[in-house]
Amino acid sequence: MDVFTVVVFLFNVGVAYFQQCTVKTLRVDADKTGARLKGYTYITFSNIGPNACYNECIRRTKCRSFNYNSITRRCDINKMSSSSETDFVDETNCVYVDMTQYRGDSYYDPCPGSDACVKGEFCQTLKDNINICNIDVKGKVQCQTGEGYLVKIENSEENTWIKSIVK
């Protein structure tokens, strides 16, 4: 691993840690408390705060809702949303949030409108509010649950661009 990759990884670890430690409340209202949607989870994140859970969901077009447990700090990203009581199970300290109302609103959604990422990608905001779309594959998600992001640099132009946005 080259020095630049290590620096990018450490930078992202620091940013993720700072965001987790400064978040105390969820920025949106829960649609259901004391319950979680069952059977539709496609990604689970551990040890993250409620706003980080919201951010992981809103950046993925596939995410329709999420469950967040404040005691275990578990975030389940769901590919479906539901209002049917039979789709839920009781879980203490858990909230369920339907993301439909937040999609496309630039106050809540970092990639609204024509710049939104396509299915299978997630939006990441870089320095100077530049948004890019990353492929949402299991290997990258596993890296992110460890508080980091993989960077694949294919040529010297990309390397120069990455250096210009990461200080």
Side-chain angles (χ1 to χ4, degrees), residues 55-113:
N55 288 337
E56 293 297 343
C57 184
I58 196 70
R59 297 179 317 141
R60 290 170 166 79
T61 56
K62 186 177 178 181
C63 180
R64 297 290 176 247
S65 64
F66 69 88
N67 308 312
Y68 182 76
N69 187 303
S70 60
I71 298 299
T72 62
R73 295 176 48 87
R74 186 191 73 240
C75 170
D76 297 326
I77 303 295
N78 302 316
K79 60 186 173 188
M80 297 291 287
S81 59
S82 179
S83 59
S84 171
E85 290 300 317
T86 60
D87 289 340
F88 292 91
V89 293
D90 291 340
E91 184 173 315
T92 306
N93 302 307
C94 193
V95 296
Y96 164 79
V97 177
D98 184 334
M99 296 300 287
T100 308
Q101 60 193 329
Y102 306 108
R103 295 256 174 234
D105 182 335
S106 61
Y107 180 76
Y108 296 102
D109 193 342
C111 295

Side-chain angles (χ1 to χ4, degrees), residues 3-161:
V3 173
F4 180 73
T5 304
V6 172
V7 169
V8 169
F9 176 77
L10 292 175
F11 172 79
N12 285 321
V13 168
V15 168
Y17 180 77
F18 178 78
Q19 287 172 343
Q20 277 185 350
C21 293
T22 59
V23 172
K24 302 249 189 288
T25 59
L26 186 59
R27 77 170 93 173
V28 296
D29 293 328
D31 293 293
K32 217 168 195 9
T33 58
R36 69 176 168 82
L37 184 65
K38 65 177 179 180
Y40 298 107
T41 301
Y42 76 96
I43 300 175
T44 297
F45 294 93
S46 300
N47 274 340
I48 68 172
N51 284 342
C53 183
Y54 169 87
N55 288 337
E56 293 297 343
C57 184
I58 196 70
R59 297 179 317 141
R60 290 170 166 79
T61 56
K62 186 177 178 181
C63 180
R64 297 290 176 247
S65 64
F66 69 88
N67 308 312
Y68 182 76
N69 187 303
S70 60
I71 298 299
T72 62
R73 295 176 48 87
R74 186 191 73 240
C75 170
D76 297 326
I77 303 295
N78 302 316
K79 60 186 173 188
M80 297 291 287
S81 59
S82 179
S83 59
S84 171
E85 290 300 317
T86 60
D87 289 340
F88 292 91
V89 293
D90 291 340
E91 184 173 315
T92 306
N93 302 307
C94 193
V95 296
Y96 164 79
V97 177
D98 184 334
M99 296 300 287
T100 308
Q101 60 193 329
Y102 306 108
R103 295 256 174 234
D105 182 335
S106 61
Y107 180 76
Y108 296 102
D109 193 342
C111 295
S114 61
D115 295 333
C117 299
V118 298
K119 187 175 181 179
E121 295 179 337
F122 69 94
C123 178
Q124 181 176 2
T125 303
L126 303 176
K127 183 182 171 207
D128 300 327
N129 293 319
I130 297 170
N131 291 329
I132 62 170
C133 294
N134 288 320
I135 296 172
D136 195 4
V137 295
K138 187 154 179 72
K140 291 183 191 243
V141 170
Q142 286 174 336
C143 179
Q144 288 171 342
T145 59
E147 310 294 331
Y149 294 92
L150 292 174
V151 175
K152 183 177 180 183
I153 300 170
E154 308 245 339
N155 56 49
S156 62
E157 291 82 19
E158 288 178 358
N159 191 39
T160 302
W161 181 76

